[in-house]
Amino acid sequence: MIKKIQSLFLSFALIITSFIGLGQVATIAVADEFPAKPIEVVTHAGLGGGTDTTARMLLIRTRKNLKNNAYITPKKGDGGNKAMSYVKSKPRDGHTVLAITPTHLFRMARGGAALNIDDFVGVARTTVDPIVIFVNAKSPYKTIEDLIKAGNKKPIKYGGTNVGSVDHISGLIFAREAKTKIAFVPFEGGGAIMTNLVGAQIDAAGLNLDEGKDQLESGELRVLAVMADERLSALPDTPTLKEKGINASFATVRGVVVLKGTPADRIAKLEKGFLKAMAHPVYQNYLTGAGLDASSVAGSAAWDAEIKKIYKEARAALVSLGLAK
Amino acid sequence: MELISKITLILDLTTFLLILGSTIVGVLIGALPGLSSGMAIALLLPFTIYLEPNQAIAAMAALYCGGTFGGSITAILINAPGAPPAAATAFDGFPMAQNGQAGKALGMAAVSSVIGGIISLIVLIIFAPTLAKIAYKFGPPEYFALAIFGLSMLASISSKSPVKNLIGGLIGLFVATIGVHLTTGISRFTFSIDELFEGVSFVPVLIGLFAMSEIFVQASKSELLLERIKFSAIKLPSITEFKNCGKTILRSTGIGTFIGILPAEGGTVSAMIGYNEARRWSKNKDNFGKGEIEGVAAPEAANNSATGGAMIPTLALGIPGSATTAVILGGFQIHGLRAGPYLFEQQPDLLYTIFYGMLLANFIFLIFGLLGAKIFSRISLIPRGFLWPSVFVFCLVGSYGLSQSMVDVYIMLISGVVGFFLRRAGFSPAPIIMGIVLGQLVENSLAQSIIIFDQNLFMFFTRPIAMTFFILTFLSLFYKPIKNLFTERKRI
């Protein structure tokens, strides 16, 4: 009797084990499905900054579209290089995505970064924010020509974020192309630049429109030119530098990339998931709140070409300025 | 009055519960070293899209208030400031806990925090549009002068030897130079470690210098006899003690609100300067650093009034007044709202919801703090052998969690060892912390000033605000020698 129970128990146990085995086979089969595990988005900035917030807003709907979880891993350090070396250590299976900005592109262009521009494939662009040249409304500079002329007499005190950033380089390229001089004053962030411009500590600054919008509307600041190929819909009367014959187009762009070698079907799946998430009102409202519009969003092909173009220009600019070899 | 009638905005159940919840979450997160209110708000941002915009912003503001207060709890009980603004609270709060006065320290922290918080909120609602303009008056030269004024108290910040305080301050200033220099882009003492390019993170150093070094101190005590449990540890401060701190609290509130308004600085600098000034004007100067109750009231009133202060430029100009308010501004964007001059004219309801939300948060953490003081203070009665190993776990998790980097853990451990030996050699952590807090500000603002002044340092004389701070600095350094000189002459 006892033996019978024992054998019954044993067979029962065997059946259960075989089911577990089957289950394992089943999961392996599912692993071919993508994404098989949560998507990791690597950022280079602290929590609550522009890159972090954009990534979080992007992921809200992406989770639903890709039917899997997604999370953010912040890897701060050396202008995005830390984030890049972290991504480099991960398999090229589409589960790791890097949130890329001009900071990374300029860091690569300076040389000695963990990855090179050719190691990336663009998946989607999330925001585009052109740099706008602001001056204090009480200043004598009414047009961009006034500013250029003044710079020839005495270097323009031009505010921006840290040395080697897109703010810095765009200011230097503007000066070179417009044949004027600037003295670059670095600040800790957009808010500080704007405050110092209103307080007339500096003459001019390259800011994103949103960073100076309130002060523009309240009449404390004035815009002189936009560093973009086309005029902004929000500033229809403000000329672009290009119109003025000054070849300097720079924007704070953000987007997501994966490492080269990631299967094309997975990139396509990610792209679809991201684009659908960004078409949703949740993301669109965020763009509006940040003073941007739907034209911020772009797909893989366009974004991939854009980061390569920005990199090339950044590299040329840094070499010509003697900031990279 | 419109203001009073608008209280109904937060009186519906959902809003009330949200504010209650956010405040308590804020206090708890603030109390945990390595987790800050800014981080918590950033993580919760995506979830707030399902809320009404007004509710979401009020909840964030309440979390901010709670988080600033929460830091004091762990600073007092286990010498591990939960957040940087509470660093100065540990200077006297922890010695008080060790003297068996944990309840008094916690009670004083709660009350002075609330007084500071509420006064700054009243300033916010009445004077915000006017006061916000101060932000524009402060350029790099003014920040430089303010930082120098703060550093002028370095030698006397603790009652230890002034020479040792100065050396400690220099160590702090040195640590602040690590990283890429703002105006030249040159990296200094980074040894190709990626994490060091943006400077040594403050929180791991803070945890290391205070909590980790305390663990070593505790471990080096070898007596086996258990101390008698002091039940007086859970006693709250008496009315007289509150009254004696009244002036200190008011002074700190003024300092905190003012420094909070300045966009570059927030609770941490406010608390340091509040502490400095409390010591300068106190009758019990020599007791500072040994467990002086005024030394708890001053930084707590200052860092909480800095929350209201920091909201002033955030709401009135759209310029973040601190790291956490920068994240709150991100919250505005997510909800398609704009902060700035228009907020006051076009969206008064949002403004009042924030005001009442923060006010309510202050009352909630007052109750939570006073009731909790009796409970939390029992932590100081836990036998050392059990308490400190758990603090060690806190130290590790807290320094790792900040940016999920092992380098931060190593920084914490190194600071702990260095801090231990410095303490044994008679140094106090206070000047070191102060040097780190003000180091970057003093250096960056000077470098920026030099560019703005076309390399001509005499241009400082054209800046009235900067000169005022320089004169104050001069007086605070040389008042005594000059006075002595005159009195001696009279004697002759």
Side-chain angles (χ1 to χ4, degrees):
Chain A
M1 185 66 193
I2 292 169
K3 257 197 174 166
K4 239 185 180 176
I5 295 174
Q6 270 183 342
S7 61
L8 201 75
F9 190 77
L10 201 72
S11 51
F12 209 71
L14 272 172
I15 294 168
I16 291 174
T17 345
S18 64
F19 266 117
I20 294 170
L22 267 179
Q24 273 167 353
V25 174
T27 33
I28 291 164
V30 175
D32 270 353
E33 295 275 309
F34 175 78
K37 57 176 186 181
I39 302 282
E40 178 179 24
V41 178
V42 183
T43 61
H44 73 294
L47 293 173
T51 305
D52 180 64
T53 311
T54 310
R56 277 176 209 284
M57 295 313 288
L58 171 68
L59 292 186
I60 294 175
R61 298 300 299 186
T62 304
R63 290 188 183 96
K64 291 194 174 134
N65 299 337
L66 293 177
K67 296 190 184 63
N68 212 322
N69 205 356
Y71 61 98
I72 290 170
T73 307
K75 290 283 167 194
K76 261 172 102 167
D78 190 14
N81 198 27
K82 183 76 201 165
M84 290 192 275
S85 50
Y86 176 76
V87 170
K88 193 184 176 184
S89 71
K90 293 276 160 174
R92 304 179 178 219
D93 59 1
H95 288 109
T96 311
V97 172
L98 174 70
I100 204 166
T101 65
T103 309
H104 301 83
L105 298 169
F106 278 87
R107 178 64 191 85
M108 280 187 271
R110 275 213 318 273
L115 287 166
N116 214 318
I117 185 72
D118 295 319
D119 294 321
F120 293 113
V121 181
V123 179
R125 188 174 71 196
T126 54
T127 57
V128 179
D129 212 346
I131 295 175
V132 180
I133 300 181
F134 280 89
V135 293
N136 191 307
K138 292 190 200 100
S139 74
Y141 320 120
K142 305 263 188 249
T143 62
I144 191 77
E145 286 87 356
D146 292 345
L147 188 69
I148 295 168
K149 218 180 280 168
N152 278 323
K153 287 194 195 112
K154 192 176 161 221
I156 307 159
K157 281 169 200 132
Y158 186 93
T161 50
N162 49 321
V163 171
S165 68
V166 63
D167 286 3
H168 181 210
I169 306 302
S170 61
L172 293 179
I173 294 291
F174 157 69
R176 191 185 70 191
E177 295 294 313
K179 298 184 182 60
T180 184
K181 287 191 193 76
I182 63 164
F184 186 72
V185 194
F187 288 96
E188 293 80 358
I193 303 171
M194 191 276 287
T195 324
N196 280 284
L197 193 58
V198 175
Q201 314 286 350
I202 48 176
D203 302 318
L207 289 168
N208 295 130
L209 177 57
D210 192 55
E211 289 169 327
K213 203 175 175 190
D214 286 326
Q215 285 65 29
L216 181 66
E217 284 169 14
S218 63
E220 285 160 309
L221 293 181
R222 179 161 47 221
V223 286
L224 296 187
V226 182
M227 293 191 181
D229 292 344
E230 280 159 40
R231 291 192 179 198
L232 297 184
S233 56
L235 298 173
D237 302 326
T238 310
T240 64
L241 283 182
K242 212 163 211 176
E243 286 172 39
K244 299 284 177 183
I246 301 162
N247 189 17
S249 291
F250 289 93
T252 309
V253 285
R254 292 197 183 94
V256 278
V257 296
V258 290
L259 285 177
K260 193 166 227 166
T262 307
D265 57 322
R266 293 190 175 187
I267 297 179
K269 205 156 183 186
L270 281 174
E271 182 194 10
K272 212 177 134 197
F274 286 136
L275 288 182
K276 206 175 152 198
M278 288 190 280
H280 192 273
V282 163
Y283 192 80
Q284 291 293 326
N285 283 344
Y286 166 64
L287 283 181
T288 318
L292 304 170
D293 56 35
S295 66
S296 270
V297 178
S300 174
W303 175 232
D304 192 54
E306 189 174 356
I307 51 172
K308 275 152 199 172
K309 182 172 160 255
I310 298 171
Y311 172 82
K312 228 174 110 191
E313 288 170 355
R315 174 92 194 131
L318 287 167
V319 170
S320 71
L321 295 166
L323 296 170
K325 275 174 230 153
Chain B
M1 231 175 105
E2 201 190 1
L3 179 64
I4 291 160
S5 65
K6 290 286 182 189
I7 195 165
T8 49
L9 284 168
I10 57 156
L11 288 182
D12 76 271
L13 191 65
T14 332
T15 316
F16 183 82
L17 288 178
L18 258 173
I19 292 171
L20 179 71
S22 310
T23 311
I24 293 174
V25 167
V27 173
L28 296 178
I29 280 179
L32 290 171
L35 291 181
S36 68
S37 56
M39 242 170 113
I41 296 174
L43 293 171
L44 291 174
L45 269 187
F47 300 101
T48 67
I49 52 167
Y50 303 107
L51 299 172
E52 288 288 314
N54 287 8
Q55 291 175 341
I57 306 288
M60 290 178 207
L63 206 156
Y64 178 35
C65 289
T68 311
F69 165 69
S72 67
I73 300 175
T74 29
I76 291 168
L77 292 173
I78 54 171
N79 207 16
T89 312
F91 296 163
D92 278 280
F94 182 66
M96 278 186 77
Q98 283 193 313
N99 299 344
Q101 297 179 307
K104 283 194 177 183
L106 287 168
M108 182 51 82
V111 172
S112 52
S113 292
V114 170
I115 298 176
I118 290 178
I119 295 179
S120 74
L121 280 174
I122 294 169
V123 173
L124 163 73
I125 200 79
I126 300 177
F127 301 111
T130 329
L131 278 180
K133 305 272 182 212
I134 294 178
Y136 294 142
K137 302 253 185 260
F138 260 70
E142 284 75 22
Y143 280 115
F144 175 68
L146 174 69
I148 290 289
F149 175 62
L151 285 177
S152 73
M153 282 298 281
L154 209 51
S156 54
I157 185 172
S158 87
S159 46
K160 302 262 169 71
S161 118
V163 177
K164 283 185 177 165
N165 284 338
L166 272 179
I167 295 173
L170 290 176
I171 295 174
L173 287 173
F174 167 72
V175 171
T177 63
I178 296 174
V180 174
H181 185 228
L182 180 73
T183 55
T184 59
I186 292 168
S187 61
R188 300 174 301 184
F189 308 109
T190 53
F191 305 108
S192 301
I193 301 167
D194 286 346
E195 282 84 350
L196 291 182
F197 278 76
E198 277 147 44
V200 173
S201 358
F202 182 51
V203 171
V205 177
L206 194 63
I207 298 176
L209 276 183
F210 283 98
M212 195 63 215
S213 73
E214 188 60 39
I215 293 171
F216 290 127
V217 170
Q218 296 291 338
S220 64
K221 289 182 182 167
S222 59
E223 76 265 47
L224 288 165
L225 270 175
L226 282 176
E227 284 172 55
R228 272 178 74 101
I229 293 172
K230 303 166 192 148
F231 270 115
S232 63
I234 61 167
K235 254 206 200 144
L236 292 177
S238 66
I239 302 291
T240 346
E241 278 166 315
F242 282 127
K243 273 189 188 156
N244 289 343
C245 289
K247 264 191 198 161
T248 303
I249 293 175
L250 287 181
R251 187 188 314 112
S252 278
T253 304
I255 294 170
T257 312
F258 174 73
I259 294 177
I261 296 173
L262 303 179
E265 294 314 323
T268 313
V269 172
S270 306
M272 289 285 168
I273 295 186
Y275 181 86
N276 276 347
E277 294 310 306
R279 181 166 196 274
R280 190 200 304 269
W281 301 104
S282 170
K283 282 178 213 142
N284 315 320
K285 272 196 185 84
D286 292 334
N287 201 27
F288 272 69
K290 295 175 189 156
E292 170 59 42
I293 198 160
E294 275 182 78
V296 173
E300 278 306 301
N303 66 27
N304 280 278
S305 56
T307 56
M311 286 305 259
I312 291 176
T314 310
L315 296 177
L317 304 174
I319 313 167
S322 68
T324 310
T325 51
V327 186
I328 295 178
L329 273 183
F332 274 78
Q333 288 191 348
I334 283 174
H335 288 276
L337 300 168
R338 294 191 67 84
Y342 300 95
L343 181 74
F344 284 78
E345 292 153 22
Q346 292 166 6
Q347 288 175 305
D349 277 6
L350 174 59
L351 185 70
Y352 291 128
T353 317
I354 296 170
F355 170 72
Y356 278 115
M358 291 178 79
L359 200 64
L360 181 61
N362 272 285
F363 284 111
I364 293 169
F365 76 64
L366 175 67
I367 297 165
F368 187 85
L370 285 179
L371 291 179
K374 291 241 167 206
I375 304 162
F376 296 141
S377 55
R378 287 170 195 269
I379 289 176
S380 66
L381 305 178
I382 297 174
R384 286 206 304 267
F386 296 113
L387 178 66
W388 292 101
S390 7
V391 173
F392 178 59
V393 177
F394 260 125
C395 292
L396 287 181
V397 175
S399 45
Y400 179 77
L402 185 73
S403 46
Q404 292 158 34
S405 139
M406 275 312 282
V407 173
D408 283 347
V409 177
Y410 302 141
I411 292 175
M412 186 276 290
L413 291 172
I414 294 169
S415 317
V417 174
V418 171
F420 171 66
F421 285 108
L422 284 176
R423 279 168 70 169
R424 285 195 86 167
F427 288 90
S428 151
I432 306 177
I433 292 294
M434 179 133 168
I436 300 176
V437 168
L438 293 174
Q440 275 201 345
L441 180 68
V442 85
E443 194 189 5
N444 290 344
S445 58
L446 178 62
Q448 289 162 340
S449 303
I450 289 174
I451 307 178
I452 288 172
F453 288 159
D454 298 317
Q455 331 285 330
N456 181 1
L457 287 179
F458 288 104
M459 292 283 282
F460 272 112
F461 289 103
T462 63
R463 300 294 194 124
I465 300 176
M467 284 319 288
T468 313
F469 280 113
F470 283 138
I471 292 168
L472 285 174
T473 309
F474 182 83
L475 288 179
S476 86
L477 286 176
F478 299 107
Y479 172 69
K480 263 192 188 157
I482 293 171
K483 197 179 139 201
N484 288 348
L485 204 70
F486 278 99
T487 42
E488 269 168 35
R489 269 190 194 161
K490 264 181 206 163
R491 259 182 238 146
I492 300 162

